[in-house]
Amino acid sequence: EDQVTQSPEALRLQEGESSSLNCSYTVSGLRGLFWYRQDPGKGPEFLFTLYSAGEEKEKERLKATLTKKESFLHITAPKPEDSATYLCAVQAGGYNKLIFGAGTRLAVHP
Amino acid sequence: DSGVTQTPKHLITATGQRVTLRCSPRSGDLSVYWYQQSLDQGLQFLIQYYNGEERAKGNILERFSAQQFPDLHSELNLSSLELGDSALYFCASSPSGLGETQYFGPGTRLLVL
């Protein structure tokens, strides 16, 4: 069964303290891996799409990487406004649906 | 702003009632997806429509149904509501489907009392 696991469940950082979030997946035939940011009560906001192992994408303080079994979201010198839940999702096989992990709740304190 | 719109933002209703949630996809997108987000289940795929036709079904209850109209907007109908149906309901859209990024709307928060 296709599965996505995110760790840690929650992460507390000081402003400027870099860290990484992990997304491990077990799927048959990965079509794409997606990272979203979600603020409380809001819709998921698209961050990155990765399609193949070795691929990397960057946007401001965020960098996403992909291997054959996991993806990392690296946050460099985070700011309080980076506080949110970060969701990882995969699309696999012949299916269009996204399978989401439970998310990592990130809190960045000044 | 993703370009996906959903109405209403909030909905409060009673058990046994029926409600309709509405979604307008991004301009040019033919696929619409519905997801449910509850505290204990996370984001779960319900159903996908592509250009008016049902394309894929997830863990959607028989009490729930959806459709996509010729102008590509979609409606999710929830009937015989139960307390456990209280959740955030999101609509997402993409140009066609496979391998494409899905852009999410702001959601409808449903509270069943």
Side-chain angles (χ1 to χ4, degrees), chain A residues 13-20 58-63 73-79 82:
Chain A
L13 298 174
Q14 288 298 122
E15 186 171 1
E17 180 187 2
S18 302
S19 187
S20 295
E58 268 188 88
K59 179 182 174 182
E60 296 179 357
R61 296 178 292 283
L62 300 177
K63 179 179 175 181
L73 185 65
H74 307 277
I75 303 178
T76 303
K79 298 182 177 182
D82 294 322

Side-chain angles (χ1 to χ4, degrees), chain A residues 36-47 80-87 104-106, chain B residues 37 88 90 105-106 109:
Chain A
Y36 290 87
R37 168 195 169 125
Q38 186 176 28
D39 293 302
K42 303 286 179 69
E45 176 191 340
F46 170 68
L47 293 174
E81 53 262 42
D82 294 322
S83 298
T85 294
Y86 290 85
L87 297 167
T104 293
R105 290 190 314 279
L106 174 66
Chain B
Q37 187 175 39
L88 274 164
F90 291 106
R109 182 179 292 278

Side-chain angles (χ1 to χ4, degrees), chain A residues 36 38 43 49 51 91 96 98, chain B residues 35 37 48 98-99 101-102:
Chain A
Y36 290 87
Q38 186 176 28
T49 304
Y51 290 109
Q91 198 179 62
N96 297 335
L98 292 178
Chain B
Y35 290 84
Q37 187 175 39
Q48 178 204 359
L98 208 55
T101 299
Q102 295 177 21

Side-chain angles (χ1 to χ4, degrees), chain B residues 9-103:
Chain B
K9 285 192 74 172
H10 303 278
L11 205 46
I12 302 175
T13 189
T15 54
Q17 295 297 304
R18 172 190 169 94
V19 297
T20 297
L21 283 52
R22 182 188 168 104
C23 166
S24 292
R26 294 187 316 156
S27 177
D29 284 357
L30 298 179
S31 271
V32 169
Y33 311 79
W34 286 97
Y35 290 84
Q36 180 192 56
Q37 187 175 39
S38 57
L39 283 174
D40 57 343
Q41 293 283 339
L43 263 163
Q44 300 284 323
F45 169 73
L46 294 177
I47 197 163
Q48 178 204 359
Y49 276 81
Y50 172 75
N51 203 20
E53 294 192 1
E54 183 185 302
R55 177 63 65 90
K57 239 176 177 176
N59 298 326
I60 188 167
L61 299 171
E62 284 193 17
R63 300 184 285 109
F64 296 0
S65 65
Q67 58 186 127
Q68 186 178 27
F69 295 85
D71 67 352
L72 301 177
H73 91 270
S74 178
E75 292 182 355
L76 180 67
N77 301 296
L78 314 177
S79 61
S80 302
L81 285 167
E82 302 175 359
L83 296 178
D85 298 327
S86 296
L88 274 164
Y89 291 85
F90 291 106
C91 165
S93 75
S94 72
S96 58
L98 208 55
E100 295 174 343
T101 299
Q102 295 177 21
Y103 293 88

